[in-house]
Amino acid sequence: MSWSSGLAFQLLSVLVLLAGVGTSELEPPSNIQIRNYNGNLSASWSCDISDDDSTEVTFTAFYQKSGTAARIVHWCNHTDACVCNMPPELLDYSQNYTFHVRGETPHGHSRYNAIDFHPKSVGLPKNLRVEAINSRYLLKWDWDYEQYPNVTFSVEQRNLFNTEWKKIATCGNITVPLCDLSNEVYFIYTYSLRTSMYDSQRDKYNFSLVTFHPETDAVMGPPTDISITIENQDLIILVSAPEGFNDKNLFNVCDWIYHLEYWKNTTHPQVIPTEMHGPHFTAKDLEASTTYCMKARTKCVDDEHRAGLYSGIHCVTTDPRSYVTLWIAGSVVIAIIVIALVVYICFCPLKRYMKHIFFPSSKLPASIGKDMQDSPQKFGQIPFALQEEEAFDRCYIIQEAQQEDLVQTETDTSAARSKDSGHYSIEDEGREETDVCTG
């Protein structure tokens, strides 16, 4: 009994050793890919798992819902092909699956390699969308290049007036997940777009669909620039028009207005929105030495849900509170007052003094006047001595009827003067006699 047990143990050890040798020589299948060909899913993998070409290699594969027991599986048993078909009737398109595969030889097998997949997203260009900004329309999609590296794409379109699928020449046999439709569609048409995937042998597998209407789906781009000027603690803001305003079709979709939001750059900012039909804005009564930020976009007056993209955020810091302007204004007023007083004090009295000095209202004493008359050349040489104005006789123009009266008047005046002159002479003679007597 013991001998039988020992022989059985030796045979089991040899089998395990052989199995281990076989397993260690086999690498698990690599480059597993899940493909969708017209709605039928299949898995493929690399067939090269053994260095010995003479060794017979087969594969065992199965797939199951993720998280379920291993007993609920679908098998591809002992196949020498490097592919396993997965009929649609055996798949639940609302569930995720895991596919397993291993290589086998007469001497053993490799370990399993696995990959997760979802029946609806297998081999499909994912997230197919059109980014329509201003007048540029870009069809984009996502693709897993790690799992499916050697593929190309083609884009087709059709509309209500042309129901046949038409390939877009600029988007055929491309390797990047991007197609520019800007020159391929009309603004007022509605289009159906589909992207097809091809493998290295140009076998078409599947496609994704999206609908696009430029008139309703196009978005106005952001303003090209925001210009900010600070004037007396006010912000003068000029918002530049977006590029979409150059597209007449998009510009005429509705009545566009400018929407500006600005706020004080603090921990809890309070956004102040304002809207204008024109691009000019003014933010008044701002705090000094404070940073304010703003952004702008355009909005459609007719459709409140349609608005353009926001611009980038622009920030500016206001100037410190300055009293220079007040000082300048006050200095100018004070200077004007001081100059006016100086002019009044200096020039007005000075003018009077100069007039009294050089043009006195009273006559000089008789002795000085006599000397000046006797020697006018001597006094004429003095540069600062001003000459008395020359006296003129008064002239009268009278009629002939009054001439006799005037002659009589002048005669009487001359007689009176002669009489007075004689009177003064007698008085002077009497005064001289008195002085002589007294002496």
Side-chain angles (χ1 to χ4, degrees):
M1 188 72 171
S2 60
W3 179 84
S4 300
S5 299
L7 181 60
F9 178 76
Q10 290 178 358
L11 291 174
L12 182 60
S13 299
V14 171
L15 292 174
V16 171
L17 181 60
L18 292 174
V21 172
T23 303
S24 62
E25 292 179 352
L26 295 178
E27 293 292 334
S30 61
N31 194 24
I32 303 175
Q33 296 184 4
I34 309 297
R35 299 186 177 183
N36 186 331
Y37 182 74
N38 294 334
N40 296 316
L41 271 65
S42 64
S44 62
W45 55 87
S46 175
C47 297
D48 188 10
I49 63 172
S50 175
D51 296 334
D52 188 358
D53 295 336
S54 61
T55 303
E56 182 182 355
V57 178
T58 59
F59 301 92
T60 296
F62 68 93
Y63 52 97
Q64 65 183 115
K65 292 180 181 179
S66 299
T68 60
R71 60 184 179 84
I72 308 176
V73 297
H74 305 284
W75 292 92
C76 293
N77 285 328
H78 308 294
T79 177
D80 56 359
C82 300
V83 63
C84 176
N85 295 320
M86 294 176 281
E89 61 271 13
L90 299 180
L91 296 172
D92 184 351
Y93 281 78
S94 64
Q95 298 293 324
N96 291 320
Y97 283 80
T98 303
F99 181 85
H100 306 262
V101 61
R102 75 176 183 181
E104 300 171 342
T105 67
H107 305 292
H109 58 80
S110 69
R111 64 180 181 275
Y112 277 104
N113 198 1
I115 187 174
D116 296 328
F117 69 95
H118 192 286
K120 281 188 176 181
S121 61
V122 169
L124 287 174
K126 301 176 184 178
N127 193 22
L128 192 66
R129 73 268 183 198
V130 179
E131 293 183 0
I133 300 176
N134 294 327
S135 57
R136 189 178 186 188
Y137 315 134
L138 299 179
L139 177 65
K140 296 183 177 181
W141 58 92
D142 299 330
W143 185 256
D144 186 0
Y145 283 95
E146 293 184 358
Q147 185 174 358
Y148 309 102
N150 300 318
V151 296
T152 58
F153 306 96
S154 291
V155 178
E156 300 170 288
Q157 60 93 2
R158 67 180 180 182
N159 55 58
L160 296 177
F161 300 97
N162 187 2
T163 58
E164 297 292 331
W165 287 103
K166 177 184 177 182
K167 286 188 177 182
I168 299 177
T170 57
C171 299
N173 194 25
I174 58 177
T175 57
V176 294
L178 173 68
C179 175
D180 191 347
L181 305 173
S182 303
N183 300 322
E184 305 293 338
V185 296
Y186 292 100
F187 188 76
I188 60 174
Y189 288 2
T190 300
Y191 293 87
S192 295
L193 304 168
R194 72 180 184 184
T195 300
S196 302
M197 184 271 289
Y198 298 84
D199 64 7
S200 56
Q201 284 77 35
R202 295 297 298 163
D203 291 332
K204 182 178 179 180
Y205 281 92
N206 54 5
F207 52 83
S208 297
L209 287 171
V210 69
T211 302
F212 174 56
H213 185 201
E215 188 174 12
T216 57
D217 296 337
V219 178
M220 186 67 73
T224 55
D225 189 25
I226 297 180
S227 176
I228 307 171
T229 305
I230 302 177
E231 294 184 3
N232 299 325
Q233 302 304 326
D234 296 341
L235 295 184
I236 309 301
I237 305 165
L238 175 62
V239 181
S240 300
E243 293 181 1
F245 278 17
N246 297 325
D247 185 351
K248 294 183 179 180
N249 291 322
L250 184 58
F251 180 77
N252 294 327
V253 165
C254 64
D255 184 15
W256 297 96
I257 61 173
Y258 290 88
H259 176 86
L260 176 74
E261 295 180 0
Y262 68 95
W263 61 91
K264 186 163 57 175
N265 191 19
T266 59
T267 305
H268 303 287
Q270 181 180 0
V271 178
I272 302 175
T274 179
E275 294 179 350
M276 298 286 291
H277 281 277
H280 299 278
F281 294 84
T282 302
K284 294 181 174 294
D285 302 328
L286 303 180
E287 299 179 10
S289 301
T290 305
T291 301
Y292 288 86
C293 297
M294 63 198 69
K295 61 181 180 179
R297 66 174 179 176
T298 53
K299 292 180 62 177
C300 188
V301 176
D302 307 328
D303 185 0
E304 61 180 5
H305 299 291
R306 185 162 192 169
L309 300 178
Y310 274 108
S311 67
I313 296 177
H314 294 69
C315 297
V316 65
T317 301
T318 56
D319 297 330
R321 182 66 69 184
S322 176
Y323 298 95
V324 174
T325 304
L326 297 178
W327 290 346
I328 293 175
S331 300
V332 170
V333 172
I334 293 174
I336 292 174
I337 295 174
V338 171
I339 293 173
L341 291 175
V342 170
V343 170
Y344 176 77
I345 293 173
C346 294
F347 287 91
C348 293
L350 183 61
K351 183 179 180 181
R352 290 200 303 271
Y353 298 152
M354 297 294 291
K355 183 177 181 181
H356 288 311
I357 292 172
F358 294 103
F359 302 100
S361 58
S362 60
K363 294 183 178 180
L364 294 174
S367 59
I368 298 175
K370 183 179 180 181
D371 293 337
M372 292 181 66
Q373 291 177 358
D374 294 339
S375 57
Q377 295 180 352
K378 178 179 178 182
F379 287 92
Q381 295 175 356
I382 302 175
F384 53 84
L386 302 179
Q387 302 295 327
E388 185 179 1
E389 294 181 359
E390 184 179 357
F392 294 92
D393 294 335
R394 184 173 297 177
C395 181
Y396 296 95
I397 300 175
I398 57 176
Q399 298 178 358
E400 292 183 358
Q402 298 177 352
Q403 187 173 5
E404 295 180 356
D405 295 337
L406 180 59
V407 172
Q408 183 64 33
T409 301
E410 290 180 352
T411 302
D412 295 341
T413 302
S414 299
R417 288 179 179 175
S418 300
K419 183 179 181 179
D420 291 340
S421 177
H423 176 70
Y424 289 134
S425 299
I426 295 172
E427 288 181 355
D428 291 340
E429 292 176 356
R431 188 175 299 154
E432 291 177 358
E433 292 177 357
T434 305
D435 291 341
V436 170
C437 292
T438 304

